[in-house]
Amino acid sequence: MAAESSLKREDTVDSIMTECTDASEMSIDGDGDQMAGSDDGAPSYVEPIHILSMDDMRAKQNRDIDSVAATLALDRATCGILLVMNQWNSQRLIENWWTDQARICDKAGVLPGVKATAPADGQALCLVCYRTLAVHELFALGCSHWFCRGCWAEYVSHAVKTKAGLGVRCMSDNCPVRLTDADLERVAAPGDLEVWRRYFLESYVDKSKRVKWCPNPRSCTFVAVYEGLDAADVNCNCGHSWCFRCARDAHKPANCEQVEKWQEKFSSTKEDSQWLIANTKPC
């Protein structure tokens, strides 16, 4: 009997030690990055989550534009539009650029290095307000469709207010050429230019699968950057905790699919209760 009791105690100790070992396979290294145990016992790196402000994101966006501009030998404003049209995927843009530059430019609506041809007599007709004005009162993109600066300003303002900002094109019918940041600096009102630049920055976040806005319902301007593939909880600087994968409130240890099913069930149960209250009465 004593031998059996001793064996039972040893089995219990082994079981406890196994559980402790399993629990300790995930730890945090000295720099705060998560280290998870792999099948062969060696720790595997888990991508950290970075919380960035709007200014941080703008600086990151500018670095990406500068890098592409240096690689393609183009101006920053043109590269900005090219990146927007390529979902801010720098690598894909550069690869496609060396394959078919003409197609990339046509799709994005840009004319790199092309300047508007000034009218010979120094004046032109604005095809919106139909006034003949001197060139210094007009503006044209590389397509050389001239319009007065007042009409340009009104056109851009309307486009920004209707959230068509990043798609502002030449006012000439069927002309595909887009306005860049540099063009807007010359014709847009300061307030409209500021709104356009906010859309420009928001597109940098919205088009990326690795960057997401904090979904705090009380509003938040921080973003989370996560290069990992698995679901991960984000603890934002605003105090809101949320899941990077599904953007719901943090829900570990339940996975996103389980939470979705639970919410569907809860919603259905709530609707059933409301129907019962509205259509029945106590016995």
Side-chain angles (χ1 to χ4, degrees):
M1 293 294 293
E4 291 180 5
S5 177
S6 175
L7 287 173
K8 288 181 179 179
R9 284 197 298 270
E10 289 177 3
D11 290 341
T12 302
V13 171
D14 290 341
S15 176
I16 293 173
M17 289 300 292
T18 300
E19 291 177 3
C20 291
T21 301
D22 292 341
S24 65
E25 284 182 350
M26 180 169 286
S27 61
I28 303 296
D29 68 7
D31 296 326
D33 294 338
Q34 205 173 42
M35 306 294 290
S38 61
D39 293 339
D40 59 2
S44 59
Y45 179 73
V46 176
E47 287 287 349
I49 296 173
H50 302 285
I51 306 299
L52 302 180
S53 66
M54 294 284 280
D55 289 340
D56 295 331
M57 287 305 300
R58 188 172 288 107
K60 188 175 186 301
Q61 182 185 47
N62 285 332
R63 287 194 297 271
D64 285 354
I65 294 174
D66 289 339
S67 177
V68 171
T71 302
L72 303 184
L74 296 174
D75 62 277
R76 295 185 77 260
T78 297
C79 287
I81 296 300
L82 287 171
L83 283 165
V84 167
M85 297 305 297
N86 284 271
Q87 311 296 307
W88 288 98
N89 189 324
S90 302
Q91 182 177 355
R92 183 176 66 187
L93 168 60
I94 293 171
E95 290 174 354
N96 291 338
W97 179 262
W98 300 125
T99 302
D100 193 345
Q101 296 180 19
R103 182 181 63 82
I104 295 298
C105 289
D106 288 345
K107 181 181 177 182
V110 296
L111 299 171
V114 178
K115 303 295 183 182
T117 303
D121 57 358
Q123 60 182 13
L125 174 69
C126 172
L127 297 177
V128 173
C129 64
Y130 291 99
R131 292 185 298 161
T132 300
L133 300 168
V135 171
H136 71 272
E137 298 178 276
L138 302 163
F139 177 75
L141 303 171
C143 54
S144 297
H145 295 135
W146 293 90
F147 300 93
C148 75
R149 292 178 180 272
C151 289
W152 271 116
E154 289 184 17
Y155 171 67
V156 170
S157 181
H158 176 74
V160 167
K161 289 176 182 176
T162 56
K163 295 190 175 182
L166 296 180
V168 181
R169 299 177 184 269
C170 173
M171 287 190 283
S172 182
D173 289 344
N174 300 318
C175 181
V177 180
R178 295 176 187 269
L179 278 78
T180 66
D181 183 90
D183 298 325
L184 289 162
E185 279 188 337
R186 300 179 62 182
V187 298
D192 293 329
L193 178 60
E194 182 180 350
V195 173
W196 187 90
R197 284 176 171 166
R198 189 177 74 240
Y199 290 158
F200 189 65
L201 178 60
E202 288 175 352
S203 76
Y204 184 66
V205 178
D206 295 340
K207 299 295 184 181
S208 174
K209 295 180 180 179
R210 304 303 182 193
V211 184
K212 291 186 179 181
W213 298 102
C214 172
N216 189 337
R218 296 183 179 180
S219 78
C220 175
T221 58
F222 286 104
V223 299
V225 181
Y226 176 54
E227 297 291 340
L229 300 177
D230 298 325
D233 285 348
V234 179
N235 296 313
C236 186
N237 291 356
C238 70
H240 184 59
S241 296
W242 52 284
C243 172
F244 189 88
R245 182 182 176 191
C246 68
R248 298 185 180 92
D249 290 348
H251 52 69
K252 283 188 175 179
N255 59 40
C256 300
E257 290 74 18
Q258 290 171 332
V259 173
E260 182 177 2
K261 289 179 180 178
W262 169 255
Q263 289 187 340
E264 289 177 356
K265 181 176 178 62
F266 177 77
S267 175
S268 175
T269 302
K270 185 176 180 181
E271 291 174 0
D272 290 345
S273 300
Q274 291 174 341
W275 187 91
L276 288 171
I277 293 172
N279 296 280
T280 63
K281 62 181 179 179
C283 297

